[in-house]
Amino acid sequence: MPMATTREIVLASGNAGKLAEFRTLFDDAGWQLRPQSGFNVPDAEETGQTFIENAILKARHAARLTGLPALADDSGLCVDALGGAPGLHSARYSGTHGDHAANIDKLLKAMAGVPDARRGARFVCVLALLRHADDPQPLIAEGLWEGRIQHARSGEGGFGYDPVFFVPEHGMSAAELPAEVKHRSSHRARAMALLAQRLAAL
């Protein structure tokens, strides 16, 4: 199914960091990525039960209100010993959206006494690209970044749960990784690489 004739895609987010990160991918593919805030599109209500559902909800909402193809992402941290929590609620795990310190404090308390062998976790990023609001076959790209939850914070870089997310292949926390290494290795980088392959086939 061909993309819409326009070479514009709306990002279902007003986050400047996400826009810069995704814009590089779409510039390389010959598409102009514009934030939904530029169209006065409000955030969609995230009522899905999975990352995929929420990504599609957000993309469909932006596509319907702008008439353009739309890209959305949904991401979070899933911890095995907590049954996948904080999961969809990663950003507001402590009750306040975006309070990274409180989220980490709650996570470390929940994981107190859990041995290393049971501290497995992964960051998940799902990207959904809809060609139009009623697209029955959205492009889906999922990226996973496997690691485990440390017993305490380490590192000053990154954001969110990075200070307690240990990355085995690098032997340090995500917050200790150089930015360029993280940007190549992260769940979002992996999802973006997969989406780039699928964009090239359109």
Side-chain angles (χ1 to χ4, degrees):
M1 183 184 300
M3 294 287 286
T5 54
T6 179
R7 299 296 289 181
E8 291 183 324
I9 293 178
V10 61
L11 176 64
S13 172
N15 183 295
K18 284 185 183 180
L19 179 64
E21 195 170 3
F22 288 125
R23 185 169 272 164
T24 300
L25 169 65
F26 281 90
D27 283 351
D28 291 345
W31 298 89
Q32 182 185 6
L33 187 65
R34 299 178 60 190
Q36 67 177 19
S37 55
F39 298 91
N40 296 315
V41 174
D43 289 339
E45 188 175 355
E46 298 180 32
T47 57
Q49 299 299 304
T50 65
F51 294 114
I52 291 175
E53 288 176 298
N54 276 341
I56 291 174
L57 279 171
K58 290 187 278 189
R60 196 179 305 283
H61 174 75
R64 194 170 302 285
L65 293 181
T66 64
L68 294 172
L71 172 74
D73 83 305
D74 202 46
S75 57
L77 175 70
C78 296
V79 180
D80 294 338
L82 302 180
L88 297 179
H89 307 292
S90 294
R92 55 187 184 278
Y93 186 44
S94 65
T96 301
H97 192 281
D99 190 338
H100 303 317
N103 288 340
I104 290 176
D105 287 342
K106 181 175 180 177
L107 177 62
L108 290 176
K109 183 176 181 180
M111 293 292 287
V114 176
D116 286 347
R118 295 186 53 240
R119 299 179 77 90
R122 69 207 46 80
F123 279 119
V124 180
C125 175
V126 172
L127 302 178
L129 176 62
L130 273 67
R131 301 162 181 85
H132 54 83
D134 297 312
D135 190 349
Q137 192 179 12
L139 296 182
I140 304 294
E142 181 182 58
L144 303 178
W145 197 16
E146 297 286 346
R148 69 173 184 266
I149 303 303
Q150 299 185 153
H151 295 270
R153 294 170 171 84
S154 62
E156 301 295 329
F159 60 92
Y161 296 93
D162 286 357
V164 293
F165 185 76
F166 182 80
V167 185
E169 64 261 41
H170 296 293
M172 62 184 68
S173 78
E176 295 172 298
L177 287 175
E180 64 273 13
V181 175
K182 182 188 173 187
H183 292 160
R184 289 196 307 267
S185 306
S186 75
H187 50 307
R188 183 167 287 115
R190 295 172 195 224
M192 285 174 64
L194 181 56
L195 184 64
Q197 294 174 18
R198 295 179 177 172
L199 275 175
L202 290 175

